Amino acid sequence: MRQIITQVDAFTDKPFAGNPAAVCVLATPQTDAWMQNVAQEMNLSETAFLIKLDDGFSLRWFTPTTEVPLCGHATLASSHVLWSEGHLSTNEDARFHTKSGLLIAKRQGDWIELDFPVIHSQPTTAPPELSQALGVPLKTVMQNSLGYLVEVESEDLVRQMQPNFQQMKSLPIADVVVTSLAKADSEYDFISRFFAPGLGINEDPVTGAAHCCLAAYWRDRLHKDQFLAYQASSRGGVVKVNYVGGDGLRPTVGDRVLLAGQAVTVLRGELIL
């Protein structure tokens, strides 16, 4: 049996930028081991697997080493594939049933908007080895379901840092979102990078899930709900962020964040089972 697999660059409007993801729309269910093997073979930060359901699609995400409960860029890539490959008409929303609940993607012109849960962070005391591993002084340290969320003093520090990934792997929590305000003359509100050696990804190029926690973090500090964000990896990517839900006064577990990005197909091939 031959299975089409598509590689998409997400959170970018040009090829060879943003975050690449592989997308496989399965005709029949496959085992977890098989999906993990395919993800390892593709060797991208995420490979997405979809199966058609009565009300949308089942969606699961695998890194080369493990399954993850939430992935923004591979959801964006999956939505792009469903519309561009004719699995959905262009006026239909993409509905995904995932381990993080129901996720909905909508077309907004050239952009794709994802409706995701907000990830709230709590203050924490980081081990001194964290600053050593990142190689920069830490301004603020929070913790959430992704790992640490660290603010540093400047955009230059975010862009220039070169973490020691082997040292990061020895920490109790190995995955870190690093962020700062953008420069005053920038078109962006904040920038970030995401290091995830605990997931088998030293640096993820552009991370939707990270912006689920960055939305809440910067909302509390900048007192606004809409942001234009840039993830400053070597590939780089742009994310529109819109914090919605809740009562507008205090964070709740029901809060949502709308993440918008663009996507480009760069490769389509046959996976021979």
Side-chain angles (χ1 to χ4, degrees):
M1 177 181 177
R2 296 179 182 270
Q3 178 70 58
I4 299 297
I5 192 161
T6 307
Q7 187 168 316
V8 175
D9 287 344
F11 291 114
T12 181
D13 62 353
K14 59 186 178 182
F16 316 124
N19 200 350
V23 179
C24 191
V25 183
L26 296 169
T28 58
Q30 301 293 329
T31 66
D32 290 7
W34 182 88
M35 289 187 286
Q36 186 64 75
N37 283 336
V38 172
Q40 184 179 31
E41 186 78 10
M42 297 304 297
N43 200 31
L44 299 170
S45 59
E46 300 289 347
T47 299
F49 298 92
L50 299 97
I51 296 178
K52 183 74 172 71
L53 304 175
D54 291 338
D55 181 27
F57 291 81
S58 166
L59 173 58
R60 295 173 69 179
W61 310 276
F62 288 78
T63 77
T65 61
T66 190
E67 183 176 7
V68 295
L70 184 67
C71 178
H73 86 277
T75 305
L76 184 72
S78 297
S79 306
H80 172 78
V81 167
L82 291 179
W83 286 312
S84 63
E85 302 294 324
H87 297 281
L88 289 175
S89 65
T90 55
N91 62 350
E92 286 184 277
D93 293 345
R95 297 172 59 84
F96 300 111
H97 300 271
T98 78
K99 291 188 175 182
S100 292
L102 177 65
L103 306 177
I104 298 175
K106 300 176 181 287
R107 287 173 63 100
Q108 303 283 358
D110 292 334
W111 293 72
I112 297 171
E113 183 182 79
L114 309 174
D115 183 344
F116 270 29
V118 171
I119 298 175
H120 294 291
S121 306
Q122 301 298 325
T124 190
T125 301
E129 293 81 8
L130 178 60
S131 180
Q132 296 170 12
L134 294 176
V136 293
L138 311 182
K139 181 178 179 180
T140 305
V141 181
M142 311 284 280
Q143 185 176 335
N144 55 53
S145 58
L146 295 181
Y148 289 119
L149 171 59
V150 170
E151 183 185 352
V152 299
E153 194 62 44
S154 71
E155 176 178 327
D156 287 339
L157 281 178
V158 176
R159 290 180 179 272
Q160 296 167 7
M161 60 190 301
Q162 298 180 10
N164 182 326
F165 296 114
Q166 284 302 118
Q167 188 175 6
M168 287 182 68
K169 290 179 182 178
S170 69
L171 297 173
I173 300 173
D175 305 325
V176 186
V177 179
V178 180
T179 188
S180 77
L181 283 172
K183 293 180 179 179
D185 60 352
S186 172
E187 63 181 304
Y188 305 110
D189 294 290
F190 62 83
I191 72 165
S192 67
R193 292 171 71 184
F194 181 45
F195 307 106
L199 297 174
I201 309 162
N202 283 346
E203 180 169 6
D204 193 38
V206 192
T207 316
H211 287 82
C212 293
C213 66
L214 290 165
Y217 183 82
W218 287 113
R219 178 184 190 251
D220 290 345
R221 282 149 184 79
L222 299 180
H223 307 292
K224 64 178 189 176
D225 297 327
Q226 296 186 34
F227 311 91
L228 186 64
Y230 183 74
Q231 191 156 331
S233 67
S234 60
R235 293 175 63 99
V238 178
V239 186
K240 292 180 179 179
V241 181
N242 184 12
Y243 190 116
V244 298
D247 61 10
L249 300 175
R250 57 185 182 274
T252 72
V253 294
D255 287 358
R256 308 292 294 183
V257 59
L258 303 179
L259 306 177
Q262 296 170 287
V264 181
T265 298
V266 294
L267 179 68
R268 185 181 301 107
E270 288 185 337
L271 182 65
I272 302 172
L273 307 187

